Amino acid sequence: FPSHDTQQGGRGGERKFYGAMAGWRFTDKPYEVDVVFLDTGRVVRIWVRDYCQACAEGRVLIDLSPLTILAGGLTLGQGRYKVELREVPADK
């Protein structure tokens, strides 16, 4: 995926809106999903680009970046949030 400068996504050019999931491996290419925040109805498109141990243990579905949570209309530090994940078609 295209690189971004640090103004657009943090240290080293990483993206603002990203998440980690159990099924992702370090040899995988990042892929997009839509995260639907059930409390607010907001939808945020993110890149899954990391592995999540808590997800592998079944404690959470996805680990989201702080800016993704804020874009979803929620407050940081409030614990777990209810979300739904939607696949983004390859021909978007």
Side-chain angles (χ1 to χ4, degrees):
F1 57 94
S3 64
H4 287 268
D5 63 25
T6 55
Q7 284 186 326
Q8 294 215 332
R11 59 180 201 277
E14 65 192 22
R15 294 178 175 268
K16 291 180 183 182
F17 305 115
Y18 61 88
M21 294 185 71
W24 194 86
R25 298 292 176 253
F26 292 103
T27 55
D28 292 345
K29 287 179 66 175
Y31 58 91
E32 289 180 294
V33 296
D34 285 336
V35 179
V36 181
F37 290 87
L38 299 180
D39 290 340
T40 64
R42 291 190 185 179
V43 179
V44 181
R45 183 160 291 175
I46 68 161
W47 286 93
V48 174
R49 56 110 172 120
D50 206 353
Y51 173 78
C52 171
Q53 183 62 39
C55 302
E57 295 168 0
R59 294 185 284 145
V60 295
L61 174 63
I62 188 169
D63 185 16
L64 299 170
S65 70
L67 286 175
T68 300
I69 293 168
L70 293 173
L74 300 171
T75 306
L76 297 177
Q78 300 298 310
R80 296 181 185 163
Y81 307 98
K82 293 184 183 212
V83 300
E84 177 183 298
L85 300 180
R86 295 183 184 158
E87 183 179 356
V88 174
D91 62 340
K92 58 180 168 53

